[in-house]
Amino acid sequence: MSSRTFADDDALLAALHEALAVTRAPAADGIAGIAALTAGAQAAFSFRTMEEELASLIYDSLLDADPVGAGRAAKAARTVVFESDAVSVEMEITDDGIVGQVAPPVGASVFAEASDGTRIAVVCDELGCFTLPTPGHGMLRLHIAASGSTAVTEWAHLDPRA
C-alpha cells in the first residue's frame, strides 16, 4: 500500500471521493458486488457490541462421544453452556424450545438475536431462568446482562440436532 501526502484539503477530499466511488456503485459487480457490500456492512455493524464481553461455548452435549442415557432416552435434550468472566448461561434445547438459566441471576435479562436480524426479548425470573421458542435452522446468539455486566454468546446453531 502506497502512502500519499496532500498539500491541501481539496486534494485529500478528491482522493477520498475516488476511493469511495467503488462502494457507491456496487451494481457494477452485479448481485455478487451487492452481496459483498452488504456482508461487509453487517460485519462493520456488529462492532457496535464491542463493549460486550464474549461468552464462549464451553460445553455442547452433541460433542459427547457417549452421552449418558443415550440408549434409554427416546428424545434427549441438547445441552449447551456459554461462559464469560462475569456471566454464564446454560441451556437445554429440545424440539419444543429452549430452557435456560443465567448465572449470576441478579437483575438478569436476555435477548436472543437470529442471523436474519430477528430479536426476541426474554424474561428471566429471580433465579435467572428463561424460555425461548425453538430457533429453527439459522444461527442464534444471546445478549446477556446480569449483575452490572453484559456479554454476548458466540453465534451458534442452536437447534436440537445441529
Side-chain angles (χ1 to χ4, degrees):
M1 184 169 155
S2 64
S3 173
R4 293 170 57 181
T5 57
F6 299 96
D8 62 14
D9 290 342
D10 291 332
L12 176 60
L13 288 173
L16 288 172
H17 177 67
E18 180 183 325
L20 292 173
V22 175
T23 61
R24 290 188 181 140
D29 294 334
I31 298 297
I34 293 171
L37 183 63
T38 302
Q42 288 173 334
F45 187 66
S46 70
F47 279 110
R48 76 188 192 291
T49 59
M50 287 294 288
E51 70 278 358
E52 293 179 318
E53 186 177 356
L54 180 64
S56 300
L57 179 67
I58 61 167
Y59 177 75
D60 188 340
S61 63
L62 283 181
L63 303 177
D64 282 348
D66 186 21
V68 176
R72 294 186 307 252
K75 269 202 296 188
R78 176 183 176 195
T79 302
V80 295
V81 179
F82 292 93
E83 190 173 272
S84 71
D85 288 339
V87 67
S88 69
V89 60
E90 181 174 342
M91 297 179 287
E92 286 196 358
I93 306 160
T94 66
D95 290 330
D96 298 327
I98 297 174
V99 176
Q101 184 173 18
V102 175
V106 179
S109 65
V110 175
F111 77 84
E113 179 181 13
S115 56
D116 66 0
T118 306
R119 292 181 173 203
I120 301 170
V122 179
V123 177
C124 295
D125 65 13
E126 65 276 355
L127 298 176
C129 297
F130 63 90
T131 60
L132 280 168
T134 304
H137 298 290
M139 301 288 278
L140 185 79
R141 70 178 175 178
L142 300 180
H143 296 261
I144 306 155
S147 298
S149 62
T150 60
V152 61
T153 65
E154 298 177 53
W155 285 102
H157 283 285
L158 293 182
D159 52 30
R161 291 166 296 282

